[in-house]
């Protein structure tokens, strides 16, 4: 199905054709007609499926076809869990607004609050924001949402995992009116908190699931390597980079300190690496991402702050130096490569500390994962055995006490010898003498 078959406004179709977007993806084919019809939507799709346009295009279509509820308030609000994802969505929104007379604003944490107040006073029609910073502006009354037409929650499961439920409810109350349309996109529809907050914020939503988040990605080759310790893991990383014909690589680590340590080691080998973590301010993060996108650096070493939202076509390899804590993050990390029909490679290094995470990923993907080996770097670690439940020390197991009454009832009576009574043979008839009763005495 092509975009022209989805009933979109001609002004949007011109922009879509200009950027050579002709064939609509499955999530776009299913979601856009539902949103144009004015229904609330709860949808899930795997990473890289084109869901951003699935909510941006019908939101803009609705604005072109109807009058705004308020001249002061924004018409559409898109919430994203991280600054990087918000920035990515904002970039795609600006692309679609290129030929339209609407303006947009990006409101995220880590940037100057007063500058954002000035931007909001220009009454942008569309806002892309992170929940925490937007809730701050609502509290300071630099923003009002009484006239909001469309509320979109992108990566709703991630926002809830990060603890943004109070902010989402605050935003919901500020924009609570019966004509508001709510769209919620999540990696899975089986997330208990997502379904809970959907009941609060949505009215009879249409549910769409396109692909399964644990479905095998055909364009990505996944390999796993066992490693004994940190030095062995670093040796495997060096070999993986040496033998891979990569354009750009993203390496995911567990901690911020690991990003700096690995980046320093890689730069000592002249590999043009740069580190990205949540400890940097927004200006620094923007600079780093801009340099990586332009190819100034070939390797980006980062925490999960970059596992969602990055859409860089030259990323040919993703390396999990540490396995992720949250199982779903594995899918999002791996999804940074193999995008838009390109081929990609995902390499995961599994040590003793990563074993539990690996087994959870294996169960989540519903696949029996095998391990590859680099010649000369074979390790001794072969995995951990499943843990057996242990009895707490000092607490002996108590045997169940038997009921003494039941024992007595179960015991058979001893056999009685019937053949003799006072050494006299009586046969089977046992003679038992009776006591004589004294005669009654008549008192009269």
């Amino acid at each position: 199905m092509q975009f022209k078959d989805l009933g979109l406004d001609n002004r949007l179709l011109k922009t879509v054709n200009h950027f050579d977007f002709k064939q609509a993806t499955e999530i776009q084919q299913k979601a856009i007609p539902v949103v144009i019809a004015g229904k609330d939507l709860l949808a899930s799709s795997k990473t890289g499926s084109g869901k951003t346009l699935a909510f941006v295009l019908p939101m803009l279509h609705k604005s072109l076809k109807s009058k705004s509820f308020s001249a002061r308030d924004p018409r559409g609000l898109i919430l994203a869990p991280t600054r990087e994802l918000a920035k990515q969505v904002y970039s795609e929104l600006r692309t679609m607004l290129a030929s339209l007379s609407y303006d947009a604003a990006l409101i995220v944490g880590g940037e100057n609050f007063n500058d954002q107040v000035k931007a909001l006073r220009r009454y942008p029609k569309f806002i892309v924001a992170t929940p925490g910073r937007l809730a701050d502006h609502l509290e300071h009354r630099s923003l009002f949402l009484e006239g909001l037409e469309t509320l979109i929650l992108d990566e709703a499961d991630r926002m809830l995992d990060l603890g943004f439920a109070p902010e989402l409810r605050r935003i919901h109350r500020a924009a609570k009116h019966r004509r508001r349309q709510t769209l919620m996109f999540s990696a899975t529809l089986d997330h208990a908190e997502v379904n809970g907050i959907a009941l609060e914020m949505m009215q009879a939503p249409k549910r769409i699931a396109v692909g399964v988040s644990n479905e095998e990605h055909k364009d990505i080759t996944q390999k796993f390597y066992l490693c004994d310790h940190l030095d062995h893991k670093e040796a495997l990383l060096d070999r993986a980079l040496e033998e891979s014909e990569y354009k750009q690589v993203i390496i995911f680590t567990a901690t911020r300190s690991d990003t700096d340590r690995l980046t320093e080691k890689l730069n000592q080998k002249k590999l043009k690496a740069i580190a990205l973590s949540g400890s940097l301010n927004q200006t620094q993060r923007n600079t780093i991402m801009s340099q990586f996108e332009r190819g100034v650096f070939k390797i980006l070493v980062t925490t999960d702050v970059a596992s969602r939202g990055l859409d860089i076509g030259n990323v040919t390899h993703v390396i999990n130096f540490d396995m992720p804590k949250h199982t779903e993050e594995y899918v999002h990390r791996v999804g940074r490569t193999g995008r838009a029909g390109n081929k990609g490679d995902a390499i995961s290094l599994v040590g003793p500390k990563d074993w539990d995470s690996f087994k959870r990923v294996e169960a989540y993907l519903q696949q029996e994962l095998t391990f590859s080996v680099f010649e000369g770097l074979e390790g001794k670690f072969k995995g951990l055995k499943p843990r057996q439940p242990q009895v707490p020390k000092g607490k002996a197991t108590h045997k169940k006490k038997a009921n003494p009454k039941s024992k007595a009832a179960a015991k058979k009576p001893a056999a009685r010898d019937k053949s003799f009574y006072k050494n006299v043979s009586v046969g089977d008839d046992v003679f038992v003498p009776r006591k004589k009763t004294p005669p009654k005495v008549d008192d009269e």
Side-chain angles (χ1 to χ4, degrees):
M1 185 180 291
Q2 295 186 341
F3 283 102
K4 65 180 182 179
D5 302 320
L6 296 174
L8 293 167
D9 188 276
N10 287 330
R11 287 166 284 186
L12 287 175
L13 290 177
K14 287 181 181 179
T15 305
V16 168
N17 291 332
H18 176 74
F19 289 99
D20 204 26
F21 297 145
K22 294 179 180 178
Q23 191 77 22
T25 64
E26 188 177 358
I27 184 64
Q28 292 163 358
Q29 294 176 29
K30 292 186 175 182
I32 290 175
V34 173
V35 182
I36 289 178
K39 298 182 182 296
D40 286 1
L41 175 64
L42 180 57
S44 73
S45 63
K46 61 185 179 182
T47 183
S49 60
K51 62 179 173 57
T52 304
L53 283 184
F55 57 73
V56 165
L57 288 175
M59 177 186 70
L60 297 180
H61 171 87
K62 181 179 178 180
S63 300
L64 291 169
K65 294 295 186 181
S66 61
K67 292 183 179 180
S68 62
F69 296 158
S70 168
R72 176 191 64 178
D73 302 341
R75 304 191 69 172
L77 170 62
I78 304 171
L79 297 174
T82 64
R83 305 172 198 174
E84 281 67 33
L85 181 55
K87 182 183 175 185
Q88 186 73 37
V89 172
Y90 180 70
S91 176
E92 291 198 42
L93 174 62
R94 288 288 302 271
T95 299
M96 292 298 108
L97 288 174
S99 61
L100 304 177
S101 58
Y102 298 128
D103 55 352
L106 178 65
I107 306 296
V108 297
E111 294 191 349
N112 188 281
F113 190 88
N114 292 327
D115 289 344
Q116 292 177 350
V117 171
K118 293 176 183 177
L120 292 172
R121 284 177 180 169
R122 291 194 286 269
Y123 304 132
K125 291 304 173 188
F126 301 98
I127 295 175
V128 181
T130 48
R133 179 51 65 92
L134 194 85
D136 291 341
H137 281 288
L138 286 173
E139 189 170 344
H140 286 79
R141 299 182 66 80
S142 51
L143 171 70
F144 299 92
L145 298 176
E146 286 90 345
L148 184 69
E149 298 171 25
T150 307
L151 173 62
I152 301 169
L153 280 68
D154 191 14
E155 303 285 9
D157 55 328
R158 180 68 169 152
M159 282 191 273
L160 293 169
D161 290 341
L162 291 173
F164 283 124
E167 287 79 5
L168 294 179
R169 290 187 173 95
R170 170 79 178 87
I171 294 166
H172 166 61
R173 290 194 298 271
K176 192 174 182 180
H177 59 86
R178 63 182 181 83
R179 296 177 66 187
R180 188 195 82 199
Q181 186 177 17
T182 306
L183 316 178
M184 195 176 292
F185 287 77
S186 172
T188 174
L189 298 183
D190 297 329
H191 196 290
E193 282 191 274
V194 169
N195 284 283
I197 205 161
L199 287 173
E200 297 178 37
M201 301 176 65
M202 309 178 82
Q203 300 176 12
K206 176 77 173 177
R207 299 170 71 94
I208 294 175
V210 175
V212 184
S213 57
N214 61 0
E215 189 178 85
E216 185 177 2
H217 201 307
K218 295 178 181 178
D219 294 327
I220 301 175
T221 302
Q222 302 179 60
K223 291 184 179 180
F224 298 84
Y225 294 86
L226 288 170
C227 46
D228 297 336
H229 42 68
L230 182 60
D231 291 339
H232 188 201
K233 187 178 278 193
E234 290 182 357
L236 290 170
L237 173 64
D238 292 340
R239 180 69 67 84
L241 293 173
E242 288 172 7
E243 295 188 1
S244 301
E245 296 181 1
Y246 62 84
K247 292 182 180 178
Q248 286 185 295
V249 183
I250 299 179
I251 301 174
F252 287 100
T253 65
T255 65
R256 299 171 183 174
S257 59
D258 284 338
T259 62
D260 296 329
R261 182 179 57 80
L262 278 180
T263 301
E264 186 177 353
K265 284 180 173 290
L266 293 171
N267 282 323
Q268 288 173 357
K269 299 174 182 178
K270 310 296 182 184
L271 293 180
K272 291 187 178 181
I274 192 167
L276 175 69
S277 69
S279 61
L280 303 174
N281 63 43
Q282 190 61 39
T283 302
Q284 292 172 319
R285 289 160 79 168
N286 290 345
T287 302
I288 290 170
M289 289 312 306
S290 175
Q291 291 174 327
F292 185 63
E293 288 176 13
R294 288 185 285 113
V296 176
F297 294 94
K298 297 296 182 183
I299 301 174
L300 176 69
V301 187
T302 180
T303 56
D304 277 333
V305 71
S307 66
R308 304 192 186 204
L310 295 185
D311 190 2
I312 302 172
N314 285 331
V315 175
T316 55
H317 290 70
V318 166
I319 299 177
N320 290 309
F321 187 81
D322 299 303
M323 293 295 286
K325 293 179 181 178
H326 301 289
T327 309
E328 294 84 355
E329 287 305 313
Y330 174 82
V331 178
H332 290 285
R333 285 182 179 187
V334 170
R336 296 311 100 203
T337 186
R339 301 180 73 83
N342 296 318
K343 300 293 182 181
D345 290 283
I347 297 171
S348 298
L349 308 180
V350 182
K353 292 182 179 179
D354 302 296
W355 185 253
D356 288 343
S357 298
F358 167 76
K359 296 304 289 184
R360 287 195 296 269
V361 167
E362 186 178 48
Y364 183 77
L365 297 178
Q366 297 177 10
Q367 301 174 34
E368 187 175 351
L369 302 176
T370 58
F371 292 98
S372 302
V373 176
F374 284 122
E375 187 177 351
L377 288 175
E378 300 85 352
K380 297 179 180 179
F381 177 65
K382 302 300 179 185
L384 301 175
K385 293 181 179 179
R387 296 177 183 176
Q388 298 294 333
Q390 296 180 351
V391 179
K393 292 182 180 180
K395 292 186 178 181
T397 54
H398 297 287
K399 292 183 178 179
K400 200 172 181 181
K401 291 184 179 179
N403 189 350
K405 292 182 179 179
S406 63
K407 276 189 177 180
K411 190 175 180 181
K412 293 182 179 180
R416 188 172 57 179
D417 187 3
K418 303 176 184 179
S419 57
F420 290 90
Y421 178 72
K422 290 186 178 180
N423 296 326
V424 178
S425 177
V426 293
D428 290 332
D429 297 328
V430 179
F431 173 75
V432 181
R434 295 180 181 177
K435 289 183 180 180
K436 293 182 179 180
T437 56
K440 290 185 180 181
V441 179
D442 190 357
D443 293 336
E444 294 180 349

